[in-house]
Amino acid sequence: MGLFEAMTSALFKAFELQNLLYVSLGTIIGLLFGCLPGLSSVVGLSLLLPLTFGMDPMSGMFLYAGVMGANPFGGSISAILINTPGTAVNVATCFDGYPMTQRGEAGRALGISATASGLGAIFGLVILIALIPVVRQTIMLFGPPEFLMFILFGLSSIVVASRGNMIKGLLGGGLGMLLASVGRSPITGSIRFSRDIQYFWDGIELIPFVIGMFALSEVINLTVTGKTKIATQKIETKISGVWEGVKDVFRHKVCFFRSSAIGTLIGIIPGIGGATANFIAYTVAMQTSKHPEKFGTGTPEGVVAAESANNAKEGGSLLPTVGFGIPGSVEMAVLLGAFILHGLVPGPLLIKENLDIVWAIIWGLVFSNVLASTFGLLAAKFLVRVSFIEVSIIIPVVAAISLTGAYANRGNIIDMLMAVMFGFFSYFMRRNGFPVITLVIGFVLGKLAEVSFFQSLMVSRGDYFVFFKRPLPLTLFILLLLVLILPFIRQKGKQKDGA
């Protein structure tokens, strides 16, 4: 079946009533599992897997695509409204989304999220379609040295985010990287910093960590400060607030396209995951912004960067999944299981013999993202009302959801205790002027940087020049230096203008 024939065949199938219902059902499930912390699309897809046995394979793909497409936007709703990322890929959305809610601009933040998520997903899928004919050459471009340079982009943002209090920011970033190194070394297998406690052998789990650092610390903060409502300023519930968010995406179109491209690229690299795309896009946006000092205080640009990268990575992660049978993310690993369940062979044979199935997933993701974004834009003016519910009602609800989410992730009660501990630790940091952002960036990207660094050395047999021998990592290294130097050049320029 040719490319055009497969595309039109899958499109006609997508408009059949039963498949439209499957995409819609998947979208609803994706939104629900995204909103609730700890219940990611992986859980939703895993639960659906046995239920689709015996279904027409194409209908099953529409259902799976519905879940995968809507889940990132669902996670952004709780990240923006209650500072609780529904999924790990929405952590960076909290940095600016929640401060916008506190400022009375929840509708605008949701408008940004809905628009950036939908358009970002379409961007990633367009790149996927363009790269299907050259899938092998594209994936082979990226090795450990290239990925390490991407990670260093993210880690370098610690310097930018520390401005105003460099020592505390760097301490936070260093502590985050130290926490990331707890547990078994991914290279040598040795156990580090575990204090002989078995729980720490596998390291500190990401979900309870972010739930504690954001959601529970905010619960503690609201309790201590005695605030009556989340929003400290007048709340905009009219459609104009949401529409302003839509326009923000187009105002920051360079940031949108750059973040979507980063999300797609990170998605293409197998096994990296959406949280990395989210962070790297956010930190690159911070470093290249004219106003990096506003990041973390509720700037629309931060939400655009995080949300566009989130959804764009889905298109990228499909590429190694359908091209080689190598999952580009955890969701794609479950999708591989679905392929096998329905008698499909993942890898080059899938593109050669079942190209219409690949197109069914692509169309399903398009439909799902359009449905989820439309829901977000229409429901935003009702969702923002969460921010003026009495805090005395919100605190127990958020605490209960957060602790349930921490437990549901692995069914381990110690994860709940860890979430509480990180909640108090994050509150202590905020009270004493330590930027929480730098610690979270160090934690999320630290382990990935370590793995890529040692993988590069193993591949090159200990040659440290491996990072500068190939054109792509060398180019990324030069760009990294420029990004680090640029803010200081700008600052010097402002000082001269001021003088």
Side-chain angles (χ1 to χ4, degrees), residues 12-309:
F12 286 130
K13 283 281 185 183
F15 278 107
E16 288 181 2
L17 180 60
Q18 69 167 15
N19 292 331
L20 284 173
L21 290 174
Y22 281 132
V23 172
S24 304
L25 177 63
T27 303
I28 294 169
I29 294 171
L31 284 171
L32 283 174
F33 276 67
C35 283
L36 298 172
L39 296 179
S40 64
S41 60
V42 177
V43 179
L45 289 170
S46 303
L47 291 174
L48 287 175
L49 204 58
L51 301 179
T52 61
F53 184 71
M55 279 176 62
D56 172 53
M58 193 168 282
S59 298
M61 295 306 138
F62 283 122
L63 182 61
Y64 296 133
V67 177
M68 290 189 294
N71 191 256
F73 173 66
S76 74
I77 295 174
S78 55
I80 289 169
L81 294 179
I82 56 175
N83 203 29
T84 308
T87 67
V89 302
N90 300 108
V91 174
T93 308
C94 293
F95 296 161
D96 287 289
Y98 186 64
M100 288 182 74
T101 297
Q102 290 178 306
R103 213 167 52 211
E105 295 181 328
R108 185 179 177 183
L110 288 169
I112 296 172
S113 174
T115 310
S117 295
L119 294 179
I122 291 170
F123 179 95
L125 291 171
V126 169
I127 299 296
L128 166 69
I129 294 165
L131 293 181
I132 282 179
V134 289
V135 59
R136 178 182 292 273
Q137 295 89 332
T138 305
I139 293 173
M140 293 305 286
L141 280 175
F142 296 93
E146 287 80 6
F147 184 60
L148 178 67
M149 291 302 166
F150 271 116
I151 293 293
L152 290 180
F153 261 108
L155 285 174
S156 65
S157 66
I158 288 176
V159 177
V160 181
S162 300
R163 286 193 302 176
N165 199 326
M166 185 69 77
I167 294 175
K168 289 182 177 178
L170 291 177
L171 278 173
L175 182 58
M177 294 176 74
L178 193 63
L179 289 173
S181 67
V182 171
R184 185 175 286 106
S185 166
I187 303 299
T188 65
S190 58
I191 306 293
R192 303 172 299 189
F193 312 119
S194 69
R195 307 291 296 176
D196 291 330
I197 301 172
Q198 191 173 352
Y199 174 84
F200 291 120
W201 287 6
D202 292 327
I204 296 171
E205 188 67 16
L206 179 63
I207 296 296
F209 174 78
V210 295
I211 285 177
M213 293 301 291
F214 293 103
L216 293 180
S217 74
E218 187 59 29
V219 165
I220 296 166
N221 183 51
L222 290 172
T223 305
V224 173
T225 55
K227 287 169 63 175
T228 56
K229 293 174 183 173
I230 290 175
T232 55
Q233 297 178 29
K234 186 181 177 184
I235 298 166
E236 180 59 74
T237 58
K238 295 179 182 176
I239 191 69
S240 59
V242 182
W243 181 240
E244 198 63 24
V246 176
K247 290 195 284 187
D248 277 329
V249 178
F250 294 96
R251 285 192 193 106
H252 301 289
K253 51 183 175 294
V254 174
C255 175
F256 166 78
F257 281 114
R258 183 180 54 228
S259 304
S260 299
I262 290 172
T264 308
L265 276 175
I266 298 295
I268 288 173
I269 305 169
I272 303 304
T276 310
N278 191 243
F279 268 98
I280 292 179
Y282 182 84
T283 50
V284 170
M286 184 196 297
Q287 290 164 327
T288 54
S289 171
K290 292 178 181 176
H291 303 286
E293 72 281 358
K294 291 185 178 178
F295 277 70
T297 62
T299 180
E301 201 176 351
V303 184
V304 171
E307 285 304 306
S308 53

